Amino acid sequence: MNKKMNEKFGIDSSKGMEIGLYSLGDHVKNPMTGKLISEQQRINDIIEAAKFADEAGIDVFGVGESHQSHFIGQANQVILSAIAAQTKDIKISSSVTVLSTNDPVRVYEEYATLDLISNGRAEIVAGRGSRVGVYELLGFDLKDYEELFEEKMHLLKLLNEAAPNERMNWEGAFRAPLQNAEILPQPLRGQLPVWRAVGGPADSAIKAGLDGIPMMLTTLAGPAPIFKRAVDAYRLSLTEAGYDEKEFPLATTSLFYVAETGSQARKEMYPFLNAGWSAIRGGTYPKQHFAQSQDTRDTLMVGGVNEIIEKMLYQYELYGHQRFMAQIDFGGVPLDLVKKNIELIATKVMPEVKKYTKE
């Protein structure tokens, strides 16, 4: 176990890889029934899934922020607050917070409060947002896409690393300056685990490494070795910036669906994958790409129990990561199937993966 990783980020690698779940709050018609559940029901289903995951012993549950049609996670931190009040052990995370269009001070206040409500289980995963409609919605200029995030990420890190009761002074281009500002409340242990969400390209991975921030790498589909470049760039950048790369956890994410057999998983998942894809991008999800996911080296996590275990262990050998986050309900997978997934993860997948990934 790396003690500093555990102390600073709450990752105990001696227990094996953490396995978490997340939802972006997909709100689309069930392709099997043609029915669209209400917004209220969709939110309640996400909270119920988190409670079920907590009881099953899953490590992390995240809810992402998304401001476009076909989603219900616009105020994800409010949903996370309800989850915090109804769970006991599971870590609670944004997956992700669109930091570029938020105020870092407000984000820190909200998640520090969430941390107190949850007795120290809150985390922030900060990202730029791949769906850019939120920039116009909240009054930000897309021309500032890169600069907005980098400035706000640096301020969020500064707030998180401040000493207790430290007065903050700061000045930037996209926010009013902080002048002898007191930031309240403080998280239970003084700091929060703050991650940076990174897509496939290495540029953002390098920035995460240079800033000394844990990285959550999105690997939704495609050959796993492609993403190794970002992993290597991240760890090399940590070292070049003077950090010990062994102290910083790495997480990956992917679309996920598991069943007893691979054929059952693919048969059940494809309609939802296609529905989600059609709602977001139009057209149908390429069946050739879906068929390729049977390859152990493909990052799309759809398969039988043994296939999923093989994929996770293959990626662990490749990346050496400490957490995997499964997008559990893409395309609006209904609660009953989400619960079946959680049950299989908790009883069959997670024990095997943890057994072989203890450090």
Side-chain angles (χ1 to χ4, degrees), residues 200-327:
D203 291 355
S204 293
I206 292 171
K207 290 175 181 174
L210 293 177
D211 284 344
I213 298 174
M215 179 173 77
M216 189 170 86
L217 179 65
T218 302
T219 65
L220 296 183
I226 289 178
F227 299 97
K228 182 69 162 50
R229 290 197 291 266
V231 171
D232 290 344
Y234 170 62
R235 293 196 170 120
L236 179 60
S237 300
L238 280 168
T239 302
E240 289 182 348
Y243 298 104
D244 183 350
E245 56 98 354
K246 295 180 181 176
E247 296 177 4
F248 288 81
L250 169 70
T252 65
T253 75
S254 183
L255 304 177
F256 187 96
Y257 195 95
V258 65
E260 289 288 353
T261 67
S263 59
Q264 180 187 354
R266 285 180 278 278
K267 180 181 178 181
E268 292 179 354
M269 180 54 180
Y270 184 79
F272 295 101
L273 184 62
N274 190 49
W277 183 272
S278 299
I280 298 170
R281 300 192 178 188
T284 58
Y285 189 88
K287 287 193 173 180
Q288 182 180 358
H289 291 176
F290 189 66
Q292 289 172 350
S293 69
Q294 297 182 53
D295 190 325
T296 301
R297 296 166 295 182
D298 194 279
T299 56
L300 182 62
M301 289 279 184
V302 177
V305 169
N306 292 333
E307 290 175 330
I308 293 296
I309 293 170
E310 288 177 9
K311 278 178 175 262
M312 286 190 176
L313 294 180
Y314 169 74
Q315 290 187 21
Y316 176 74
E317 289 296 318
L318 195 62
Y319 307 141
H321 51 312
Q322 286 73 36
R323 176 183 290 179
F324 171 75
M325 293 290 289
Q327 188 173 348

Side-chain angles (χ1 to χ4, degrees), residues 84-126:
Q86 298 183 51
T87 55
K88 294 180 179 178
D89 300 313
I90 198 166
K91 295 178 181 177
I92 299 163
S93 175
S94 59
S95 294
V96 302
T97 295
V98 184
L99 189 61
S100 305
T101 56
N102 277 289
D103 177 5
V105 174
R106 188 66 178 144
V107 168
Y108 195 73
E109 290 174 339
E110 289 171 346
Y111 279 83
T113 302
L114 182 65
D115 195 59
L116 298 178
I117 293 171
S118 66
N119 195 30
R121 293 183 282 135
E123 300 185 0
I124 301 172
V125 181

Side-chain angles (χ1 to χ4, degrees), residues 103-160:
D103 177 5
V105 174
R106 188 66 178 144
V107 168
Y108 195 73
E109 290 174 339
E110 289 171 346
Y111 279 83
T113 302
L114 182 65
D115 195 59
L116 298 178
I117 293 171
S118 66
N119 195 30
R121 293 183 282 135
E123 300 185 0
I124 301 172
V125 181
R128 295 177 294 187
S130 59
R131 304 180 187 103
V132 295
V134 65
Y135 285 75
E136 181 179 357
L137 178 67
L138 299 182
F140 293 90
D141 193 334
L142 257 181
K143 290 187 296 186
D144 301 321
Y145 185 75
E146 296 287 343
E147 293 81 2
L148 273 168
F149 181 75
E150 297 307 327
E151 178 177 299
K152 293 186 176 187
M153 189 75 238
H154 289 153
L155 176 54
L156 181 63
K157 184 171 184 281
L158 186 69
L159 298 174
N160 195 39

